Amino acid sequence: MQAALRIQSVQSPIIPVVAELIRQNPGTISLGQGVVNYGPPPEAAAQIQRFLADPENHKYKPVVGCPELLEAFEKKLNTENGISLGDTSRLVITAGSNMGFMNALLAITDPGDEIILQTPYYFNHEMAITMANCRPVLVPTDDNYQLQLQLIRQAITPRTRAIVTISPNNPTGAVYPEPALREVNTMCRERGLYHIHDEAYEYFVYDGAKHFSPGSMSGAGAHTISLFSLSKAYGFASWRIGAMVLPATLLDAVRKIQDTILICPPVISQFAAVGALQAGASYCREQLRGIAEVRELVKRELESMAEFCEVPPAAGAFYFLLRLRTDLNSMVLAEQLIREHRVAVIPGTAFGLEAGCHLRVAYGALQRATAAEGIGRLVEGLKRLKG
Ligand SMILES: Cc1ncc(COP(=O)(O)O)c(C=O)c1O
């Protein structure tokens, strides 16, 4: 018996494929997975004792999240993002922002509806759309991986339900300027679409780039779905805590979905998240200094291959998406780099880039010395390719 066609048509997740190749080639340094090199702050661990002290905490809790975390997150949204819930918006705690995206999709689409994604896309977004029996409509970004507003506008059809943006971006590291995000949000309001905006990397900006939350625009609440995550900012990837701000009119739908899939976000993780938010954004910003140093090192090394490896500007997240002058398929090249040079990166094909050869380099997970060794191997491997 086979799985349904609906799920067979979904691409296989790339991270486990690369992880298996790494396992088969011991000693490989991974510039693959998008995670940070630090864990949660001590304030998060301290909350675990408080969780364990009350036996009531082992029972199911509210579908949309525990009041204490909702309150702390609402405060964060007010002070950091300029988002106030008011009458039009609601806040739901999710088991990570991937779940927030799926909640949003199931709440707003019928089978056959279209969702506009920018390419290169974040693979789990594309997979979720296909899984929901909808159609991802792919709009290319420009040579600097920035939004092409005119192309987005042209891609809207009567079946379009939402436009998705991610800034700072995975896989490109691009940070979209405030005017571009405002324009997308206004386009959505005018055309009766939702704007789904993923802010998982909100604190990860460099070189003076500024993060902007379109959910803060006046009148945005009724059509904007903003997705947040503690995974990167607080070293919380395995704890599975995120949040979504959504139009109040969608709350009942999202309640049904989350109740069915999750019942409630893991309560022990919600306690830890309260602690993380007590530590606040300064925790992440402190860690960011080390990541920014690794970024400089990686950037310098990559620039040494400028004649055959283009590195478009990436002022955010912890990625560079390289554009290589070669006819090789990016998956073939990624495999070759692991087997022959013991360094892992993610091929551009995983992000919907079929033309050309692209590789995503993730630098958030490594200490400086390992990053230097890893990037050295990558440069060596790519230079050989050229020779
Ligand atoms: C753009 C983007 N959104 C969401 C996620 C997943 O976040 P979470 O762990 O909160 O589900 C990632 C993880 O890499 C990401 O890059």
Side-chain angles (χ1 to χ4, degrees):
M1 295 267 278
Q2 291 239 311
L5 287 176
R6 175 173 53 79
I7 202 76
Q8 282 184 41
S9 61
V10 175
Q11 67 164 306
S12 292
I14 183 72
I15 298 292
V17 174
V18 172
E20 178 55 24
L21 284 167
I22 293 174
R23 203 189 54 75
Q24 290 167 5
N25 293 274
T28 298
I29 292 177
S30 175
L31 304 172
Q33 197 168 13
V35 285
V36 292
N37 61 17
Y38 57 90
E43 287 88 339
Q47 291 291 329
I48 302 302
Q49 293 313 316
R50 205 165 67 84
F51 169 86
L52 292 171
D54 184 355
E56 283 298 305
N57 287 330
H58 301 297
K59 297 180 178 162
Y60 294 127
K61 294 289 174 185
V63 176
V64 297
C66 296
E68 199 181 354
L69 181 56
L70 285 166
E71 194 182 314
F73 213 93
E74 187 175 348
K75 204 173 289 169
K76 168 235 163 346
L77 291 170
N78 272 307
T79 54
E80 294 178 1
N81 304 92
I83 296 178
S84 53
L85 299 179
D87 293 335
T88 52
S89 301
R90 294 292 177 269
L91 176 63
V92 171
I93 303 299
T94 60
S97 66
N98 268 12
M99 177 160 197
F101 188 77
M102 200 62 178
N103 283 350
L105 269 189
L106 295 178
I108 66 172
T109 61
D110 286 310
D113 281 346
E114 296 174 356
I115 303 288
I116 295 180
L117 288 186
Q118 322 301 321
T119 52
Y121 53 62
Y122 169 48
F123 42 76
N124 284 136
H125 284 173
E126 192 266 349
M127 292 161 74
I129 294 166
T130 311
M131 231 176 260
N133 261 336
C134 294
R135 203 166 79 79
V137 172
L138 306 180
V139 174
T141 50
D142 70 12
D143 285 350
N144 287 332
Y145 301 133
Q146 289 293 326
L147 298 173
Q148 304 210 75
L149 296 162
Q150 194 49 31
L151 296 185
I152 296 175
R153 208 182 299 277
Q154 286 165 6
I156 298 171
T157 75
R159 292 304 307 253
T160 309
R161 297 295 283 151
I163 300 174
V164 179
T165 51
I166 308 170
S167 181
N169 189 270
N170 176 12
T172 66
V175 177
Y176 301 149
E178 177 175 333
L181 287 171
R182 281 186 178 274
E183 204 167 325
V184 173
N185 195 274
T186 304
M187 199 186 301
C188 288
R189 179 165 51 73
E190 289 170 354
R191 304 294 292 266
L193 309 175
Y194 292 101
H195 182 186
I196 304 179
H197 185 63
D198 183 324
E199 311 194 19
Y201 299 92
E202 59 181 319
Y203 304 123
F204 296 83
V205 284
Y206 318 93
D207 301 342
K210 292 263 184 296
H211 176 71
F212 174 70
S213 300
S216 66
M217 289 169 62
S218 95
H223 65 278
T224 305
I225 300 172
S226 307
L227 304 177
F228 296 89
S229 170
L230 268 65
S231 294
K232 322 286 169 179
Y234 292 98
F236 245 63
S238 74
W239 292 80
R240 310 309 304 135
I241 292 291
M244 65 191 299
V245 177
L246 69 159
T249 48
L250 293 177
L251 183 63
D252 280 349
V254 167
R255 264 180 195 283
K256 286 187 210 170
I257 297 158
Q258 189 149 295
D259 184 66
T260 303
I261 297 176
L262 190 65
I263 300 185
C264 65
V267 177
I268 189 167
S269 297
Q270 292 191 68
F271 269 69
V274 168
L277 293 187
Q278 280 165 1
S282 58
Y283 177 72
C284 174
R285 296 217 168 91
E286 214 150 282
Q287 309 286 342
L288 202 54
R289 273 191 256 151
I291 293 184
E293 277 179 26
V294 172
R295 175 177 178 270
E296 281 306 315
L297 181 155
V298 170
K299 198 164 151 224
R300 239 187 350 260
E301 288 290 315
L302 292 175
E303 279 164 2
S304 74
M305 305 184 289
E307 81 276 19
F308 68 102
C309 169
E310 201 185 329
V311 189
F318 30 76
Y319 306 112
F320 288 109
L321 187 64
L322 317 182
R323 203 178 280 136
L324 294 154
R325 294 199 185 97
T326 168
D327 293 332
L328 271 183
N329 169 280
S330 61
M331 186 63 213
V332 172
L333 178 56
E335 272 198 61
Q336 194 177 322
L337 286 166
I338 295 173
R339 289 191 207 287
E340 293 171 21
H341 299 278
R342 298 288 191 268
V343 62
V345 290
I346 304 291
T349 45
F351 312 108
L353 294 171
E354 296 303 334
C357 183
H358 302 79
L359 298 175
R360 189 192 73 175
V361 174
Y363 56 83
L366 302 177
Q367 300 299 336
R368 197 185 162 85
T370 323
E373 173 65 24
I375 201 71
R377 291 182 192 181
L378 178 68
V379 169
E380 169 70 18
L382 293 178
K383 282 189 172 159
R384 288 241 179 126
L385 176 82
K386 180 195 152 216

